[in-house]
Amino acid sequence: MKARRNKKQVPSFRKLLKTSKIKLENKLKNKQFKQQSTLKKYRKEQRKLRQAVKDAVSKKPVPLEDPKEKRPGKRIEREEGEEEEALPLDMMDEDDLQLMKDLGQRASFLTRDISSSEPVHVKKRKHESVIDKYEKIPRTLQTAPEKELIHLLPIKDKSGIIPQTREKPVIDSNQDEEDQEEMEPEEEIIEKPIKELTLEEHLIERKKKLQERKMHIAALASAILSDPESNIKKLKELRSMLMEQDPDVAVTVRKLVIVSLMELFKDITPSYKIRPLTEAEKSTKIRKETQKLREFEEGLVSQYRFYLENLEQMIKDWKQRKLKKSNVVSLKAYKGLAEVAVKSLCELLVALPHFNFHNNIIVLIVPLMNDMSKSISEMCCEAVKKLFKQDKLGQASLGVIKVISGFVKGRNYEVRPEMLKTFLCLRIKEVEVKKDTEDINKPKKFMTFKEKRKTLSRMQRKWKKAEEKLERELREAEASESTEKKLKLHTETLNIVFVTYFRILKKAQRSPLLPAVLEGLAKFAHLINVEFFDDLLVVLHSLIESGDLSYQESLHCVQTAFHILSGQGDVLNIDPMKFYTHLYKTLFKLHAGATNEGVETVLQCLDVMLTKRRKQVSQQRALAFIKRLCTLALHVLPNSSIGILATNRILMHTFPKTDLLLDNESQGSGVFLPELDEPEYCNAQNTALWELHALRRHYHPIVQKFAVHLIAGAPSEGSEALKPELSRRSAAELFEAYSMAAMTFNPPVESSNSKRKDKVLQGDSFLNEELSQLIKRHCSQVATQLPLDFTKCLETSLR
């Protein structure tokens, strides 16, 4: 007979590969389920066994009537309840009452022990009466106190399980009452009211507690600083003080601990990022020193993480304004704690950009830059600016820029302009990057073999070879980060910055962020790709023509356009005449008050538009700008006048033929039209700089010097030439140097201390002698009351 063929197909190797993992997982799950079910069964059996033993020990035959008459109160209550539930007997007939009694005597289920599990007919078969069973129960005296048993673990023997019990000691009720009476006065003594302290005593107590906490914090901090590797566990003890529960000193102690921990982490953290150990590294045997270092690093990272979590929780509590259950810190103190926490985070952001969790700190700080509280917002913005200024490589700056860009986009560009103004502090300048790369990778020239052989001896060649090898190793160690990586990070950062700027230009042109965007574009315009120049100039011109911008925003547009054209934009064939016209028109709109808004931007624009593009600027345009700037110098503050006159001096040197403005005679045809906004066609050659003569009598001495210098033709030498401290400084530097923002006058005003003291006339000495006599005579006369008759006056007037 043929063997029965197995119909089940053998699975292929590929199928086994696909399904083997799932099958193994299922088998493992089934195995675990079986183990759990068997364990549950075993536990259930053990529970039943223990219950059976307990029942066997505690089970006693319950008599029909309680001989001791326990708990009389409960029995009375039960009888009263039964009487309430039953019908009153006086309402029943006598026949019905007799029938109920007969039925009660016959009912077998009422007379048997309900607690026993025996069937009803067993007793009938045994012919055992209720009275006999009751008689078999051992008698106990009523005076004997009932003994309560404590059930112990049973012992298993050959015969079976032997239960074990122990009598619980019974305390006499009378003794209890006496003890209670004795305890009552003691309790009364304990519950005496606490003595209320006066305000002065309370302050002294608080000062004492605070001093104790300060000493404890100082001791822990000094121990950690003295030996961080050995005392790293004390960081946990110090961090636990952030949960100070004494309401008198809780807020102050928490602030002190936050600042102390921040300074500790700044001091003891290493100059590298600590990474988690791999499984292979954990399993390998290491020396004691290495193990100690690893334990220190693990403890430091964990405590640093917990510390940052605590700071984050404090900021969240302040934002949500939810009172904690402990009620140790009041809602009013939340802001103070949050400010200290934010300040610590800002310090760590700047001080530890290389250490762990730096990105987490960035994510916490960036939303706070847009906070409603001005102090917190300014604090965070200043920290980010500081980070940008000191970040040479660009890794930390890139992380911050990414988060800011995402935040601005997520808020639909409704954020504080200060957030985007931080971009101006980025260290991304093409010249500086190239300079840094040359410094880092400066090519070192080594002597060739032929040169060594000619100039050096054999021993000297040997020493030279060793020196060169050592220098190569040192150079490789010093060049920690390659310039390629640096340039790559800077490029990525700039791309994100420009994407943010262009989005705002496209979607939110009326946003308050526009001035910051235009200012940023003006700074980084030389780094923009040439492909975007045409489109960007069209957008800037349309913004100016729209009329929606303020004069300061339009100045930023002009500045951006000329920064683009002065760099890579030289190759473009674009006529920027419309931007010159706009600047010429805007000059008389500048703020002449204490704010000096726009003057610094104008000085920068003039430098880019006229001085640096001297070859593209006509003489007519230069004359028109010099004339208008002199007129503007009459209206603005002294520092602005100095900056404008310094610009005019540079323009007169750049365009020598403009000295015709110092002559009274007119040149060519036409009349000067000062109200015309076109610098090319206003006939500026037919006017003179008469404003300089008015500025010669200015109250500020430096303005006077510049006016005299320009009237003389701005000479470089001679008596009318400027001193080097004025001539070598740019217009923007002079504007800043003579600023009156700090309410100081530069140069200081000389105090006039004359030796002769003039006599000051006081009181009656001001009056003439005749006048004083007349006043005295009128004052000495007695006023006489005369009758007033108005009818005489009326009669004379009628006549």
Side-chain angles (χ1 to χ4, degrees):
M1 193 176 175
K2 280 185 180 182
R4 194 173 180 182
R5 191 177 176 183
N6 191 8
K7 291 181 181 179
K8 192 175 181 181
Q9 289 183 354
V10 179
S12 63
F13 181 69
R14 188 174 292 176
K15 197 170 183 182
L16 278 171
L17 278 175
K18 286 181 180 177
T19 58
S20 58
K21 193 174 180 181
I22 299 163
K23 283 183 178 179
L24 285 171
E25 287 178 358
N26 290 339
K27 280 182 180 179
L28 188 65
K29 285 178 183 176
N30 291 337
K31 195 174 182 182
Q32 289 174 354
F33 181 72
K34 282 179 183 177
Q35 286 176 355
Q36 287 175 1
S37 60
T38 51
L39 194 65
K40 281 181 182 177
K41 284 180 183 177
Y42 177 73
R43 284 177 184 164
K44 198 172 182 181
E45 288 173 1
Q46 290 294 321
R47 206 181 296 119
K48 283 183 179 178
L49 184 63
R50 285 197 296 271
Q51 189 64 34
V53 171
K54 198 172 181 180
D55 291 346
V57 173
S58 62
K59 203 167 186 181
K60 289 183 183 179
V62 180
L64 286 173
E65 294 175 12
D66 194 354
K68 297 179 192 176
E69 294 181 3
K70 290 183 193 175
R71 298 175 185 175
K74 284 190 177 180
R75 182 171 291 178
I76 293 159
E77 286 174 7
R78 189 169 68 243
E79 286 173 3
E80 287 174 0
E82 287 173 1
E83 286 174 6
E84 285 175 3
E85 288 174 5
L87 286 169
L89 296 177
D90 55 357
M91 291 177 69
M92 294 176 69
D93 297 336
E94 290 182 3
D95 299 337
D96 294 335
L97 189 61
Q98 187 62 36
L99 182 64
M100 289 285 286
K101 286 179 181 178
D102 294 340
L103 286 169
Q105 288 174 1
R106 288 178 204 167
S108 61
F109 66 86
L110 291 174
T111 54
R112 72 187 175 99
D113 184 11
I114 298 170
S115 62
S116 66
S117 59
E118 292 177 353
V120 182
H121 303 291
V122 173
K123 293 179 183 178
K124 289 182 181 178
R125 267 186 249 124
K126 289 181 180 178
H127 303 289
E128 188 177 0
S129 63
V130 179
I131 298 164
D132 295 338
K133 187 178 178 181
Y134 178 75
E135 286 295 332
K136 286 178 183 178
I137 296 168
R139 267 65 169 173
T140 53
L141 295 170
Q142 289 183 4
T143 53
E146 184 186 4
K147 293 178 181 179
E148 194 175 346
L149 299 175
I150 299 170
H151 301 291
L152 304 175
L153 289 172
I155 300 169
K156 193 173 182 182
D157 200 2
K158 290 180 181 179
S159 58
I161 294 167
I162 303 166
Q164 283 193 325
T165 56
R166 191 178 70 188
E167 292 180 3
K168 189 176 181 180
V170 181
I171 299 163
D172 191 8
S173 60
N174 296 329
Q175 189 70 27
D176 287 348
E177 288 174 2
E178 289 174 5
D179 292 343
Q180 284 176 4
E181 286 173 2
E182 289 174 3
M183 286 292 287
E184 278 173 3
E186 288 179 9
E187 286 174 1
E188 286 174 4
I189 294 162
I190 291 165
E191 290 178 359
K192 276 186 177 179
I194 299 164
K195 186 183 177 183
E196 291 186 3
L197 299 173
T198 61
L199 183 63
E200 190 178 354
E201 289 172 346
H202 188 76
L203 288 171
I204 293 165
E205 188 70 23
R206 182 184 178 277
K207 194 175 180 181
K208 190 180 176 183
K209 288 178 186 176
L210 204 57
Q211 191 63 27
E212 288 174 3
R213 304 292 197 284
K214 283 181 182 178
M215 293 300 293
H216 189 48
I217 291 166
L220 289 172
S222 59
I224 294 164
L225 282 174
S226 60
D227 191 3
E229 290 187 7
S230 303
N231 299 323
I232 193 66
K233 290 182 179 177
K234 291 191 176 180
L235 267 177
K236 186 178 180 182
E237 188 180 347
L238 184 58
R239 195 177 57 79
S240 66
M241 292 181 75
L242 284 171
M243 301 297 129
E244 177 64 45
Q245 296 300 316
D246 192 345
D248 290 342
V249 293
V251 178
T252 311
V253 169
R254 290 184 187 189
K255 286 180 182 178
L256 290 170
V257 173
I258 289 168
V259 177
S260 304
L261 281 169
M262 180 261 293
E263 293 294 339
L264 277 174
F265 282 122
K266 280 167 67 176
D267 289 337
I268 67 175
T269 46
S271 59
Y272 55 86
K273 191 173 183 178
I274 298 169
R275 61 171 180 81
L277 298 172
T278 59
E279 293 296 328
E281 287 173 339
K282 288 178 182 177
S283 59
T284 54
K285 289 183 178 180
I286 52 173
R287 292 183 299 171
K288 287 183 179 178
E289 292 84 0
T290 314
Q291 182 63 30
K292 191 177 180 182
L293 181 63
R294 281 185 180 178
E295 287 175 0
F296 164 71
E297 288 178 347
E298 286 177 7
L300 179 65
V301 170
S302 63
Q303 291 304 318
Y304 187 55
R305 181 167 66 84
F306 290 137
Y307 173 64
L308 293 177
E309 286 174 358
N310 289 336
L311 296 184
E312 184 184 8
Q313 190 59 46
M314 285 178 188
I315 296 165
K316 280 183 179 175
D317 291 342
W318 170 59
K319 288 286 182 188
Q320 294 169 357
R321 289 174 175 79
K322 288 182 180 177
L323 196 64
K324 295 291 183 75
K325 289 181 181 177
S326 58
N327 204 11
V328 175
V329 180
S330 63
L331 281 170
K332 290 180 182 178
Y334 278 7
K335 188 178 180 183
L337 279 171
E339 282 181 353
V340 177
V342 171
K343 191 174 181 181
S344 300
L345 285 171
C346 291
E347 290 282 337
L348 294 171
L349 178 81
V350 178
L352 305 175
H354 59 277
F355 198 59
N356 301 50
F357 310 114
H358 191 255
N359 289 334
N360 302 70
I361 298 173
I362 291 169
V363 172
L364 280 174
I365 290 290
V366 168
L368 293 171
M369 291 169 71
N370 191 44
D371 196 76
M372 297 294 289
S373 175
K374 193 177 178 182
S375 58
I376 287 177
S377 175
E378 286 177 357
M379 200 190 301
C380 296
C381 289
E382 286 300 318
V384 171
K385 284 179 184 177
K386 202 173 177 182
L387 178 68
F388 287 161
K389 284 175 184 175
Q390 72 176 28
D391 186 21
K392 292 181 180 178
L393 179 63
Q395 185 75 46
S397 300
L398 178 60
V400 177
I401 291 292
K402 280 181 178 177
V403 180
I404 290 176
S405 179
F407 183 80
V408 171
K409 188 183 176 184
R411 290 294 181 93
N412 199 18
Y413 312 106
E414 293 179 1
V415 295
R416 284 175 178 264
E418 286 78 10
M419 285 190 77
L420 292 186
K421 283 182 181 177
T422 55
F423 291 179
L424 301 173
C425 298
L426 285 167
R427 292 186 60 173
I428 304 175
K429 291 181 181 177
E430 200 172 358
V431 180
E432 286 184 4
V433 172
K434 284 183 179 177
K435 190 179 177 183
D436 289 345
T437 56
E438 287 170 8
D439 290 342
I440 291 169
N441 293 330
K442 204 170 185 178
K444 177 77 175 176
K445 289 184 179 180
F446 295 106
M447 293 175 73
T448 60
F449 180 71
K450 287 182 180 179
E451 288 172 349
K452 287 177 186 176
R453 196 168 186 179
K454 283 179 184 179
T455 55
L456 303 174
S457 65
R458 189 176 178 184
M459 186 59 71
Q460 285 175 337
R461 287 200 300 269
K462 195 174 181 181
W463 278 104
K464 193 73 177 173
K465 189 178 179 181
E467 282 178 6
E468 286 176 359
K469 187 181 178 183
L470 185 62
E471 280 181 11
R472 283 192 188 98
E473 289 175 357
L474 286 170
R475 195 178 64 186
E476 287 174 5
E478 283 174 3
S480 55
E481 297 292 344
S482 65
T483 54
E484 291 178 4
K485 186 178 179 182
K486 195 175 187 180
L487 286 170
K488 190 178 177 183
L489 289 169
H490 284 182
T491 308
E492 193 178 348
T493 306
L494 258 185
N495 287 340
I496 296 168
V497 168
F498 284 138
V499 163
T500 308
Y501 284 166
F502 293 155
R503 276 178 184 159
I504 294 168
L505 278 176
K506 187 179 178 182
K507 297 182 179 178
Q509 290 187 355
R510 296 187 180 182
S511 169
L513 300 176
L514 196 60
V517 170
L518 295 169
E519 200 174 347
L521 285 172
K523 182 173 182 179
F524 302 116
H526 61 286
L527 302 170
I528 301 173
N529 197 343
V530 185
E531 297 172 0
F532 300 115
F533 281 3
D534 285 334
D535 296 333
L536 195 54
L537 286 171
V538 169
V539 170
L540 293 173
H541 182 62
S542 64
L543 282 171
I544 291 170
E545 291 295 320
S546 65
D548 295 331
L549 304 182
S550 65
Y551 74 91
Q552 199 167 0
E553 291 170 4
S554 61
L555 286 174
H556 283 306
C557 284
V558 174
Q559 189 183 6
T560 306
F562 279 96
H563 270 293
I564 291 169
L565 293 171
S566 63
Q568 302 173 42
D570 288 336
V571 297
L572 299 174
N573 188 15
I574 297 171
D575 182 23
M577 185 59 200
K578 48 197 171 186
F579 292 106
Y580 281 103
T581 306
H582 181 72
L583 180 65
Y584 185 76
K585 184 170 59 177
T586 313
L587 284 176
F588 283 161
K589 295 180 181 178
L590 291 179
H591 198 289
T595 54
N596 273 322
E597 287 180 0
V599 176
E600 191 175 4
T601 312
V602 164
L603 296 176
Q604 292 170 2
C605 288
L606 290 167
D607 182 45
V608 178
M609 294 166 70
L610 300 173
T611 311
K612 291 181 179 177
R613 291 174 61 88
R614 58 175 69 89
K615 292 180 181 179
Q616 287 88 4
V617 178
S618 64
Q619 187 181 347
Q620 292 290 332
R621 202 180 298 173
L623 289 167
F625 270 100
I626 289 171
K627 174 63 178 174
R628 184 156 283 201
L629 284 171
C630 278
T631 310
L632 179 64
L634 293 170
H635 308 292
V636 290
L637 290 176
N639 60 326
S640 302
S641 296
I642 292 166
I644 289 166
L645 293 175
T647 304
N648 271 352
R649 175 180 174 273
I650 294 165
L651 290 175
M652 289 173 79
H653 286 169
T654 309
F655 303 96
K657 291 183 180 179
T658 54
D659 60 353
L660 58 90
L661 291 172
L662 302 172
D663 195 0
N664 293 335
E665 295 179 4
S666 61
Q667 303 286 331
S669 62
V671 180
F672 175 57
L673 303 170
E675 72 279 357
L676 195 67
D677 291 334
E678 292 292 338
E680 295 282 348
Y681 311 113
C682 66
N683 299 323
Q685 74 277 2
N686 293 324
T687 185
L689 298 178
W690 56 265
E691 294 90 356
L692 294 175
H693 290 279
L695 290 168
R696 281 178 69 184
R697 298 187 294 276
H698 198 278
Y699 66 89
H700 201 286
I702 306 299
V703 177
Q704 292 176 14
K705 286 179 183 178
F706 266 99
V708 171
H709 174 69
L710 290 176
I711 287 169
S716 302
E717 295 176 353
S719 60
E720 302 297 336
L722 290 174
K723 292 181 181 178
E725 61 264 19
L726 296 176
S727 61
R728 291 177 182 176
R729 297 166 92 176
S730 66
E733 288 174 354
L734 289 166
F735 172 78
E736 287 293 331
Y738 293 98
S739 174
M740 296 171 67
M743 299 300 291
T744 53
F745 193 80
N746 186 15
V749 180
E750 294 180 3
S751 58
S752 58
N753 295 326
S754 57
K755 292 180 180 178
R756 185 183 173 185
K757 291 183 179 180
D758 296 329
K759 291 182 179 180
V760 180
L761 299 174
Q762 294 180 353
D764 296 338
S765 57
F766 280 109
L767 303 174
N768 193 5
E769 290 182 5
E770 293 179 1
L771 182 62
S772 59
Q773 287 176 5
L774 185 66
I775 291 167
K776 283 179 182 177
R777 191 181 63 192
H778 280 287
C779 290
S780 60
Q781 287 178 358
V782 181
T784 55
Q785 290 183 357
L786 298 171
L788 296 175
D789 192 0
F790 291 103
T791 55
K792 291 179 181 178
C793 296
L794 285 170
E795 286 173 1
T796 54
S797 63
L798 288 169
R799 286 173 189 172

